[in-house]
Structures are given as structure tokens and as C-alpha cells.
Amino acid sequence: MEHYNMSLHLKVWRQNNSRDKGHFENYKVDGISSEMSFLEMFDVLNERLITEGKEPIAFDHDCREGICGMCSMYINGKPHGPWKSNTVCQLHMRAYKDGDTIVVEPWRANAFPVIKDLMVDRSAFDRIVQAGGYISVNTGNAVDGNSLPIEKDKADASFAAAMCIGCGACVAACKNSSAMLFLSAKVAHLALLPQGEPERKKRVVSMVAQMDKEGFGACTNTGACEATCPKDISLSNIARLNQEYLIASLTADK
Amino acid sequence: MLDAKIPAGPLDDKWTDYKGHCKLVNPANKRKLEIIIVGTGLAGASAAASLGELGYKVKAFCFQDSPRRAHSIAAQGGINAAKNYQNDGDSVFRLFYDTIKGGDYRARESNVHRLAEVSANIIDQCVAQGVPFAREYGGMLSNRSFGGTQVQRTFYAAGQTGQQLLIGAYQALERQVALGNVKMYTRHEMLEVVMIDGKARGIIARNLVNGELEKHFGHAVLLCTGGYGNVFYLSTNAMGSNVTAAWKAHKQGAAFANPCFTQIHPTCIPVSGDHQSKLTLMSESLRNDGRIWVPKKQGDNRKATDIPEEERDYYLERRYPAFGNLVPRDVASRAAKERCDAGYGVGTSKQAVYLDFAAAIERYGKTEVGKLGKDNVSQEEVIELGKEVVKEKYGNLFDMYEKITGENPYEVAMRIYPAVHYTMGGLWVDYELQTTVPGLYCLGEANFSDHGANRLGASALMQGLADGYFVIPYTIGNYLADEIYSKAISTDHPGFAQAEKEVRDRINKLMSIKGKQTVESFHKRLGKIMWDKCGMARNEEGLTQAIAEIQALKKEFWSDVKIPGSINEMNPELDKAGRVADFIELGELMCKDALDRNESCGGHFREESQTPEGEAMRDDANYMYVSAWEFKGESDWELHKEPLLYDVVKPSQRNYK
Ligand SMILES: Cc1cc2nc3c(=O)[nH]c(=O)nc-3n(C[C@H](O)[C@H](O)[C@H](O)COP(=O)(O)OP(=O)(O)OC[C@H]3O[C@@H](n4cnc5c(N)ncnc54)[C@H](O)[C@@H]3O)c2cc1C
Ligand code: SF4
Ligand code: FES
């Protein structure tokens, strides 16, 4: 792979705290190598800002491997930037060329208030899980792992849903700020397994109720979530969720 | 000072006997006992969930915005358990034996045996929670093999095993949050252990969103805060992984054990330039199918595909025919360094070796052809079929490699190089996972307990979950049973005020320096000293220099660091400054420990102690002990030695040839 250096114009959202109104600020960055990751480009800019006596830009990140779900930047109108099936920490600068302008904003959704600059509060997701995104089994209660065979296809489908990293890009991409893709991934992960069966109905009803309470919008089947999801969580999970919800609401024993 | 409290009796019976005789706390009293858990990775989340289920009042803390994001999430390859589902001769004893041997006879037999005993329960527990492990067509759990063993005992969920296990533990934890048994504090960083009358009684934590300091009481405190590989700046650890919690405990009296035992993982994506902020692991499972090689000619600049078979040196297969590409990590890493130092490295930096899947793709392709019962298949078709199989097994790892390097590993051999990955050292703990401070426990990667001088692949996840699900629920009861008469201490107690003042003073001091150099630049410099002089190979001269350099760096840091922003607000640079300050002190202790241990064992390679063929040479006569360092004052430590007694395993020189 050939590498090259570039200069870029950045327009970055700055906001002191959740009460502050916030604004865009412009930065020019030079000497960015195509081998850098997008966040490393931000590291370079932040080092410069600190040296100049200015406040660095706050952003969430941790693993930088596309798995913790912490990073969250809305880049030129796309959560996680231009690459498909990708998180922003795995986006590399070879996606850009010299002279490009890049606009970077936080996730925008009522249920995700901005904490500072590009950092938002996604604790609503934890509360949705608290509402039932688990199997109620205490430590020590388990039977042998092979006592209940699970069809490979089902196990694989459950795994595909469980790959969700809880990043919230689906919400950021949705014009209604709906959390349906996230929620459906959790519901599908557990509903596809025999272990998840006993709490299946109760789980879906109470998780949906919590989602509504958190102020996420309704799903209008636009599919922007699936297109932006770094882990390729499929829209079919939403269909499954709707089905699960319908069955649960129709049968009395919630 | 060191009483490991290893139960008497035969190795096989110790844990059962312990469980049968340890003190219990009745349910009504559990509700009155408060436990603080710092860290909610695999170790902390599993502990918080299990202790919450038992009825204790738990407060749990993490610095990320959700417990689901702890560094455990990044573990790729798998988790070991002595299930013997493959009928290939595995047993509790073999897992125990492999772990002791893999750790180069520097771990405690009793702890490792317990780990092997509970390993099977972990898999059962995780399956019950809904962890979607890989399965065979018959619906049974699938296994793969990992370095340093000859059986298939590794359970996995594609290349996302850590993620799936952590989500399982996170869900169990959130369930306890919903039930009101656990209170979760995210975006909080613990900055001090509160000591009252010689016992750990709480913590001071900083709310990272608004900068406020908070005081929290607990009858006991558990540190589950992960490893300290980031002392090297570049490592496979998450950016936030740090030693601060363990270091504060150390300064309050908890001995730090084997700090120099670091694992350098052989298969990581090489450094691409100065901007590099972290390194990415390519799971060890790749060594099941990938073959590692360098050109036979020094400084060969041809492309990998242009180098014919007979001009390639498959140096692991050559040096270690019995284990080949599956030798333990420390052996594989040193062998790569040896080739690169000798001028056989590849890529622009020449600090890389090839990990090649061409042979595996062809082999799998042929098997597929056989399955399909076709003949007359073109070589291209074979390769295509083989690629499909490789994709099914390692697809996500290959994608990750391509995203980072821009190269397609299905077509060209991957370039890899060793990188800092795991720290076997950590807070010293006894059989009950209690540190040398009463009431202060340490679980998971943050303790030193089970991996000796080298950790085998897929055993950190096992240890974290063993500690949290199956060990601490018993051992903490043995301590808390004597605490049922201790009322909760008000956080107005002078012990809390004192601890809070110390934290405040330190933050003020950091902010008042107003120097010229960034925190990051200090961290990078520390990392370079550590990597060059306390990395894959160490010697007396280098270590002595490193200690002097680190002491100088510390002075410079405390007089010239530049931290923007202010105290009473979110300030990630301030958080980082505190962590780097602790890393600097830890770095010095690591070098001191490496200097003391003039033998080569596991990941610790002292150039003075090697065989004529360059293999590591252990010195059991002089170093068969755990080094437990007691903090005495600035740059001053006292070494305590816990002798290692092998009742069951006979230590021998490891031989993977
Ligand atoms: C890339 C990679 C791949 C790996 N793959 C494998 C594998 O396949 N198999 C295997 O067995 N092992 C693997 N490991 C090792 C394994 O993942 C770790 O050793 C293990 O997950 C550590 O778990 P833990 O619970 O001890 O700590 P962590 O998961 O690191 O959790 C630490 C917790 O402590 C919190 N914390 C830390 N300091 C503070 C503080 N001061 N205040 C408040 N909270 C704090 C953090 O927020 C976090 O919640 C891998 C490691 C890496 C880096
Ligand atoms: S569904 Fe996809 S986009 Fe939404 S939180 Fe999960 S991983 Fe992120
Ligand atoms: S930083 Fe972890 S997913 Fe991006």
C-alpha cells in the first residue's frame, strides 16, 4: 500500500457541557499520513491544541479495535464515517485525500445528551438492558453446557445479533432517533436460544417500554440504521422484534 | 508479611475442603454488608453479579461509560476449560499442568489447580446466560486448540469471545442493578483506597463528568482493574487501561508481585509510524493455520509471493519441530525478535515477519474438493474454496487486518511483530485473593496469581471469570463473617477526609505545574525506555540505565507537564496525567524487579541467563520465588519472597522442541 501525506480542513463541534449551546470550530491540520487512523489524526490535532494552550477536543474511545463501542463520531453526515461495516476508530486516513474538508459532530438524539464536544451520554442503552436484556440465572445454577444441543444455524444467528457493540450509531443515523436496531439485536440474541425462552415475552415487552420511556423515536423502516451499523446487524432483527412483541402482547401472561 | 493461606491437604482436595470449612454469612447479615468493586470487566462484572445475587450490597465502578466496554471486550481467541468434550485426553490435571508449565514454574500450584477445577463450571454458567459459543452441526459446543497445549480445550465465539463473555457478565450485572442489589457508577475513576484501623474501608473516586471527588464506604474493597501493559505506551490494551487503582493500593500497603512479568504477544500488526497510538492483536488462533516465516537471505526485499518455498525459513517449525507454530507466546516472540535483529525482518521497517495462510488455503481447498467429490478441479477453484473456509474461521480478523494495513491477507502474507499484551504481575494475593491489606481483594488480570512468568492463550478470560463467579463468593464470606458487627462507617470519618485531601492535593499539584510538555509525550518517552530496556530481552546494564532514566523522567514530569483545562469539569488530559504519573513509578519498580531476577523464565528473558542455543535458562536454585515488593517511600521498596513449593509437578526446563 502506497502512503501519502495530506492537509485537511476540519469543522468540529465544540460544546462545553450539556447546558452549553455549542458551535462549530474550524481547524487546519497538516502532515497527516494515510496510514494514521482517524482518531490518531485527532490525537495529532489535540497535541497541537494543548501545546498552543487551548482545550483539546473531547471524544469517547477506548479499544480502538472496533469492539468496545465507545467511539462515536458523526462524520460528514455519517455515523462512524464513510467506510461500510466500520467504527470510527478503525477508519483510516487513506479514506481521504489532500485538501478534503471533514465535518465532525457528536451523535445527535434527545436520548443521548451531549456531555462535552463529541462525547454523549448513552446510559439509556444500559437502562434498556436493565429492563430485561438478560437471562435470569444465578451463578451456580447452570447445567452442563452440552446438555442442551443448539442448532448451529440458531446459535450462529444468535451470535450475529449478539455482535452489537452498543455504539448507538443506529440511533444517530435514524431521522427519528429510534433505538429499534439496538433493541432488536438484544431481543433476537436471547430469543433465538433455548435458554432465553422462559422470559421471552416479559423481556420484549418491558424492554420496549423502557425504550419508549427513554425518549427514542418510532421506527419507520427507513433502514438507515442497518446501513450504518458497524457490525452489520440486520433489519430482519427488527421484524423478529415486532413479531415477538405482537405475540407477547396478544397472549395474556405477560 | 506473606502468608498465602494455602489450605492443607492433597492438592485435589484443597478447594473442596476450603469450601466445606470457610465461614459463611447468613442472608440477613449479607444485606448489611457493603462491598465496593472497582472495575467491571470480566473479573469485576462477574464478581458484582454473583455477590449481588448472594444479597450483599454492592457498589461497582468503571471509568468507561458502560460496564459493557471494559477492555475484556477485546479478547478474541477463546477461553479454556477442562471439559474434555473432544475426548482427546484433557482433564483438570492436564489443564493445571499445562498452566503451571506454560507459566514456567513460577505460579502457585494451589491457585492454579483451583482454576482448572472451576473452569468447566464457567462454560456451563456462560451457556446458561446465553453466551452464543461456536457450535458444531450436531448442536454441541465446538473447540479449537491454542498455543502451549496439545489438546483442544478452547471454547470460542468466532473472534469475539471476550465480547460475548463480557456481555454475558454485563447482563448478569445489569440484572442485579435492576433488582437494586448493585449500584453502578460509570465514568468514575477510583483514585485512593481509604484505610481505617488497618483495614480497607472504602475508596475515593472522581466523577469524570464533573470532576467531583466522591467518598464511598465498603466493608471490603475488590480491585478488578485489569492489567498495566500500557506502561509501555504501545500495547494491545485499550487506551484507558491503567495501573492507577492497583498502584494506589500498593502505596497503601498492598505488595506488588512479579511486576516485571510481561507478556509480549507474537502476532500483532507491526508499528506503522510515530503517530501510532496502540497496537492491534491478531489472535493467536491464527497460528493454528498460519505458518510463520522470514526469507532465508538477509535483507531480502522481494515481495513475499516472489520468494520461492526453498528460500523461506519457517523458523519456528525448524527450531521447535514438536510444537512448531504453536509454541508458547514468549518463545514465539523471542524467535521473531531474534530473526529481525539478525537482519531477516520484512516490510519497510524490517521489524516484522510473515504469517502466511497460502498453505492453509490450499489444504482446506483440497479438503472441500474432496467433500464435494469433484475431480478435475482447477487450482483457482481449490484456492477459492479454501479461502471460503479460512474466511469462515478467521474472517473478522482478516477484515481487521485489511482495515488497518490496507492489504488483503487472503492474497498476501500478513506481516506481524510481537507487542506488549498482558501483565502476569500484579497485586500479590493469597489463596483467598486478598492482598496484604486486610479487606482489600484483587481479581482478574490485576492480580499476579495464576499465570506465573507466562500466560497461556485463552486462560485470562478463564481466570477473570473463575475469580469473579466461583472464588470470591466463597472467600469474601470468610472475611465478612467477622465483620457482621462492624457498622457501616460514615464517610465523614477522618479516614475518608484524609484520603480525599491527599487526592485533592495531588490533583492540585498536577494542575499547578503548568509546564510545557504534554502528558502524551511523557508517556511515549516512558514507553520507549521500557520497551528498549525492559522489553523482550533485558540485561543488567540496560535495566540499571532504565532506572536512572525513569527517575529523571519522573522529575521532569513533575516540573514540566502541561495539563489544559481545570479541575472541576470533565478533563481527560488530567485523568491521563494521573495515570501516566503512576505508570512512571511502576516502570521503575518493573526494572528493579527485572534486575533482581537474574534468570530467564517465561516472558522474562535475562540475556545473562541463556543456553548456548539462545533458549531461556531458568534458575530454580536461586529464583523459585514470587517477588512481592513492599512500598517504603519514593523509589524505595523492600523485597519479600514467597517461596514456591511444588508438591505435585516436578519443575523441568520447558522443552517445545
Ligand atoms: C486484544 C486482546 C485480546 C485478548 N484475547 C484473549 C483471549 O482470547 N483469551 C484470553 O483468555 N485472554 C485474552 N486477553 C486477555 C484478557 O482479555 C484480559 O486479561 C482480561 O479480559 C482482563 O479482564 P479484567 O476483568 O481483569 O480487566 P479489564 O477487562 O481490563 O477491566 C478493567 C476494569 O477496571 C476498570 N478500572 C480500571 N481502573 C479503574 C479505576 N481507577 N477506577 C475505576 N475503574 C477502573 C475499567 O473501567 C474496567 O471496567 C486478550 C487481551 C487483549 C488485549
Ligand atoms: S445495532 Fe449496530 S449501530 Fe446499533 S448499537 Fe448495535 S452495533 Fe451500534
Ligand atoms: S474505540 Fe472501541 S469501538 Fe472504537
Side-chain angles (χ1 to χ4, degrees), chain B residues 26-87:
Chain B
N26 84 26
N29 284 329
K30 284 198 184 104
R31 282 193 288 276
K32 291 185 238 154
L33 292 168
E34 300 178 36
I35 301 175
I36 284 184
I37 301 183
V38 187
T40 48
L42 283 181
S46 59
S50 305
L51 297 174
E53 288 161 10
L54 286 173
Y56 291 110
K57 269 168 77 176
V58 177
K59 285 182 175 179
F61 297 79
C62 73
F63 62 74
Q64 290 91 348
D65 70 335
S66 163
R68 67 176 295 150
R69 308 206 199 281
H71 168 59
S72 293
I73 200 103
Q76 302 171 351
I79 176 168
N80 288 330
K83 278 287 198 185
N84 194 29
Y85 283 156
Q86 305 304 323
N87 197 27

Side-chain angles (χ1 to χ4, degrees), chain A residues 125 164-170 181-182 229-230 233:
Chain A
F125 273 11
C164 163
I165 57 175
C167 63
C170 45
L181 195 62
F182 164 78
C229 174
I233 302 297

Side-chain angles (χ1 to χ4, degrees), chain A residues 65, chain B residues 38-44 61-64 70-72 74-78 188-190 224-226 236-237 242 245 281 421-422 443-446 455 458-461:
Chain A
E65 292 193 1
Chain B
V38 187
T40 48
L42 283 181
F61 297 79
C62 73
F63 62 74
Q64 290 91 348
H71 168 59
S72 293
Q76 302 171 351
H188 274 67
E189 178 154 84
M190 170 235 163
C224 315
T225 46
T236 62
N237 290 8
N242 70 87
L281 174 77
H421 178 57
Y422 182 87
L443 284 64
E445 188 173 342
R455 175 176 72 78
S459 57
L461 302 181

Side-chain angles (χ1 to χ4, degrees), chain B residues 61-284:
Chain B
F61 297 79
C62 73
F63 62 74
Q64 290 91 348
D65 70 335
S66 163
R68 67 176 295 150
R69 308 206 199 281
H71 168 59
S72 293
I73 200 103
Q76 302 171 351
I79 176 168
N80 288 330
K83 278 287 198 185
N84 194 29
Y85 283 156
Q86 305 304 323
N87 197 27
D88 58 357
D90 201 9
S91 63
V92 166
F93 183 82
R94 259 188 215 281
L95 174 51
F96 155 74
Y97 177 82
D98 286 346
T99 309
I100 290 279
K101 178 187 175 198
D104 219 359
Y105 308 97
R106 290 293 175 267
R108 216 184 263 153
E109 276 192 340
S110 55
N111 287 52
V112 176
H113 198 274
R114 174 178 64 193
L115 175 67
E117 282 175 63
V118 304
S119 65
N121 306 39
I122 297 173
I123 301 304
D124 301 338
Q125 185 63 32
C126 295
V127 168
Q129 289 170 343
V131 171
F133 284 117
R135 288 186 181 259
E136 306 293 347
Y137 281 101
M140 298 299 163
L141 292 160
S142 175
N143 290 119
R144 56 167 58 140
S145 50
F146 245 60
T149 66
Q150 289 171 316
V151 295
Q152 292 200 323
R153 64 160 74 99
T154 305
F155 295 78
Y156 63 99
Q160 282 107 301
T161 317
Q163 180 198 24
Q164 295 309 317
L165 296 174
L166 183 61
I167 287 178
Y170 158 76
Q171 289 176 180
L173 166 65
E174 293 296 354
R175 174 171 162 246
Q176 292 308 308
V177 172
L179 292 169
N181 299 327
V182 176
K183 192 159 165 34
M184 185 69 220
Y185 296 82
T186 60
R187 295 200 197 262
H188 274 67
E189 178 154 84
M190 170 235 163
L191 292 176
E192 194 57 278
V193 181
V194 177
M195 298 290 299
I196 296 175
D197 299 332
K199 291 179 176 169
R201 289 301 195 192
I203 61 165
I204 305 296
R206 183 164 183 270
N207 176 333
L208 300 180
V209 174
N210 59 22
E212 273 167 27
L213 295 183
E214 298 173 2
K215 299 178 275 194
H216 296 275
F217 165 81
H219 287 89
V221 176
L222 274 51
L223 300 185
C224 315
T225 46
Y228 51 83
N230 278 343
V231 66
F232 290 87
Y233 185 72
L234 287 181
S235 84
T236 62
N237 290 8
M239 301 297 287
S241 298
N242 70 87
V243 77
T244 290
W247 198 250
K248 301 303 185 205
H250 174 54
K251 290 181 121 176
Q252 293 287 357
F256 210 108
N258 300 336
C260 83
F261 285 173
T262 313
Q263 177 161 87
I264 316 267
H265 196 293
T267 54
C268 302
I269 301 179
V271 174
S272 71
D274 281 343
H275 55 262
Q276 194 93 28
S277 60
K278 73 153 282 166
L279 293 169
T280 302
L281 174 77
M282 289 282 105
S283 167
E284 172 160 276

Side-chain angles (χ1 to χ4, degrees), chain B residues 206-415:
Chain B
R206 183 164 183 270
N207 176 333
L208 300 180
V209 174
N210 59 22
E212 273 167 27
L213 295 183
E214 298 173 2
K215 299 178 275 194
H216 296 275
F217 165 81
H219 287 89
V221 176
L222 274 51
L223 300 185
C224 315
T225 46
Y228 51 83
N230 278 343
V231 66
F232 290 87
Y233 185 72
L234 287 181
S235 84
T236 62
N237 290 8
M239 301 297 287
S241 298
N242 70 87
V243 77
T244 290
W247 198 250
K248 301 303 185 205
H250 174 54
K251 290 181 121 176
Q252 293 287 357
F256 210 108
N258 300 336
C260 83
F261 285 173
T262 313
Q263 177 161 87
I264 316 267
H265 196 293
T267 54
C268 302
I269 301 179
V271 174
S272 71
D274 281 343
H275 55 262
Q276 194 93 28
S277 60
K278 73 153 282 166
L279 293 169
T280 302
L281 174 77
M282 289 282 105
S283 167
E284 172 160 276
S285 57
L286 293 174
R287 285 200 276 145
N288 273 316
D289 284 314
R291 296 180 72 195
I292 294 178
W293 63 276
V294 291
K296 279 191 179 157
K297 211 168 76 199
Q298 275 175 339
D300 194 332
N301 283 326
R302 284 175 294 175
K303 284 203 292 212
T305 38
D306 294 343
I307 302 179
E309 194 58 27
E310 61 280 6
E311 291 179 40
R312 299 175 175 191
D313 176 16
Y314 295 91
Y315 58 87
L316 288 177
E317 297 168 26
R318 168 169 62 77
R319 283 177 70 175
Y320 308 100
F323 279 68
N325 292 297
L326 286 177
V327 290
R329 295 175 173 177
D330 54 332
V331 178
S333 290
R334 273 197 300 279
K337 175 175 158 55
E338 188 277 329
R339 284 292 82 188
C340 293
D341 288 354
Y344 297 92
V346 302
T348 26
S349 66
K350 300 288 174 207
Q351 290 291 302
V353 300
Y354 288 125
L355 175 62
D356 199 335
F357 279 79
I361 289 175
E362 190 172 338
R363 177 166 45 90
Y364 282 123
K366 285 188 180 146
T367 316
E368 287 303 294
V369 171
K371 278 193 208 162
L372 296 171
K374 286 197 201 169
D375 24 53
N376 265 341
V377 198
S378 70
Q379 180 67 6
E380 282 82 69
E381 261 181 274
V382 173
I383 300 297
E384 273 321 301
L385 287 167
K387 278 185 192 163
E388 281 307 309
V389 178
V390 167
K391 187 169 181 181
E392 159 91 7
K393 293 186 111 159
Y394 308 111
N396 67 315
L397 297 170
F398 278 45
D399 289 351
M400 186 148 85
Y401 182 86
E402 183 165 5
K403 273 178 195 163
I404 293 173
T405 62
E407 289 171 5
N408 177 353
Y410 294 98
E411 305 294 337
V412 290
M414 288 185 185
R415 284 172 296 108

